[in-house]
């Protein structure tokens, strides 16, 4: 596969992960910054999938190029799945990544059940009528204190099952190999292969 996709995100960490995960699969990713496109679509969806679609569609309408977007977040069992789709906005305005992490740890202070997972919904708008969607997950536990400086967001407090390290203590490649975004993007690559194969045979 030799294809080029616009990545509909302003998050430099996500762009980096998209490039590292999809590059070896034959998909070149170009960021909004590289294309000098400004787009901040309002996330009005009720699910990760709906928000990923909103973001991908908004950028596709601006550039008419195949576009891929992610909507993701951390879902905590003891909090009935919160922050979920509100992960980037947890606590409201005035919080940065570190503040949101602290707030989550505070809200989890008395909880023994630390189970949590990340979800990533990927939406790929190929043309006016063709949309591919996938989801990926990684399951684990919340720590009691932040550990590590790699990654972004809630990585310092997320301990994936079966690893003795938070995703912020892992190297990028190790995180991508097991992450929600890695799993969803590898699923997308499979769907794209099938789609282009079927298209070539028509
Ligand atoms: P989005 O840009 O609306 O999809 O927001 C996703 C939010 O979920 C981010 O701002 C992070 O807080 C959190 N998040 C998503 N993926 C990750 C990850 O891989 N590591 C840590 N936090 C993440």
């Amino acid at each position: 596969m030799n294809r080029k996709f616009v990545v509909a995100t302003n998050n430099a960490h996500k762009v980096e992960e998209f490039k590292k995960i999809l590059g070896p699969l034959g998909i070149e990713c170009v960021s909004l910054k590289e294309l000098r496109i400004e787009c901040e679509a309002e996330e009005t969806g009720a699910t990760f999938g709906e928000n990923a679609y909103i973001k991908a569609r908004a950028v596709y309408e601006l550039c008419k190029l195949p576009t891929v977007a992610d909507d993701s977040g951390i879902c905590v069992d003891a909090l009935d799945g919160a922050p979920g789709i509100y992960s980037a906005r947890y606590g409201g305005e005035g919080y940065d990544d570190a503040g949101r992490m602290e707030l989550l740890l505070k809200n989890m202070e008395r909880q023994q059940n630390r189970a949590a997972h990340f979800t990533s919904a990927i939406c790929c708008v190929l043309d006016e009528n063709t949309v591919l969607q996938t989801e990926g997950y990684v399951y684990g536990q919340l720590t009691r204190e932040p550990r590590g400086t790699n990654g972004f967001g809630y990585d310092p407090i997320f301990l994936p099952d079966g690893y003795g390290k938070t995703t912020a203590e892992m190297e990028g490649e190790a995180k991508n190999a097991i992450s929600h975004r890695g799993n969803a993007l590898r699923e997308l690559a499979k769907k794209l292969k099938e789609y282009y194969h079927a298209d070539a045979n028509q």
Side-chain angles (χ1 to χ4, degrees):
M1 203 165 15
N2 226 329
R3 308 277 170 174
K4 203 169 185 166
F5 288 91
V6 179
V7 183
T9 182
N10 297 306
N11 179 331
H13 292 282
K14 281 194 192 178
V15 171
E16 187 63 21
E17 291 188 7
F18 269 76
K19 288 189 177 203
K20 290 245 165 79
I21 297 163
L22 291 180
L25 303 174
I27 300 169
E28 185 189 342
C29 292
V30 187
S31 67
L32 295 181
K33 197 169 169 202
E34 286 168 295
L35 294 174
R36 291 166 206 257
I37 292 174
E38 283 193 22
C39 186
E40 193 81 57
E42 207 185 331
E43 297 178 27
T44 53
T47 62
F48 288 110
E50 283 175 18
N51 282 335
Y53 176 77
I54 290 169
K55 293 188 229 182
R57 176 60 74 180
V59 169
Y60 177 82
E61 291 305 328
L62 284 176
C63 63
K64 300 288 178 188
L65 293 169
T67 299
V68 62
D70 151 280
D71 194 61
S72 46
I74 192 161
C75 306
V76 179
D77 288 15
L79 302 178
D80 293 328
I85 60 168
Y86 303 106
S87 293
R89 297 168 266 171
Y90 193 48
E93 291 198 4
Y95 284 95
D96 57 7
D97 271 3
R100 280 184 282 273
M101 233 173 4
E102 240 172 70
L103 178 65
L104 182 54
L105 287 182
K106 190 163 175 290
N107 291 341
M108 285 293 291
E109 230 163 36
R110 291 166 204 278
Q111 296 289 348
Q112 294 307 314
N113 177 5
R114 315 287 300 172
H117 65 274
F118 276 113
T119 296
S120 162
I122 297 290
C123 178
C124 181
V125 178
L126 289 174
D127 57 42
E128 296 297 336
N129 303 313
T130 316
V131 175
L132 302 180
Q133 296 203 253
T134 62
E135 282 203 3
Y137 312 91
V138 58
Y139 292 84
Q141 303 285 319
L142 289 185
T143 57
R144 297 233 167 229
E145 283 176 0
R147 281 166 33 188
T149 53
N150 297 332
F152 67 102
Y154 300 91
D155 278 330
I157 58 169
F158 183 73
L159 204 56
D161 287 340
Y163 297 82
K165 291 175 175 182
T166 66
T167 37
E169 291 174 310
M170 294 173 127
E171 293 303 322
E173 277 187 14
K175 175 188 168 185
N176 293 340
I178 59 153
S179 77
H180 50 315
R181 196 164 299 105
N183 291 335
L185 286 174
R186 283 183 285 273
E187 210 44 49
L188 174 70
K190 270 192 224 161
K191 281 199 179 186
L192 283 168
K193 242 185 201 163
E194 282 164 19
Y195 172 78
Y196 289 127
H197 186 69
D199 204 36
N201 286 337
Q202 268 177 16

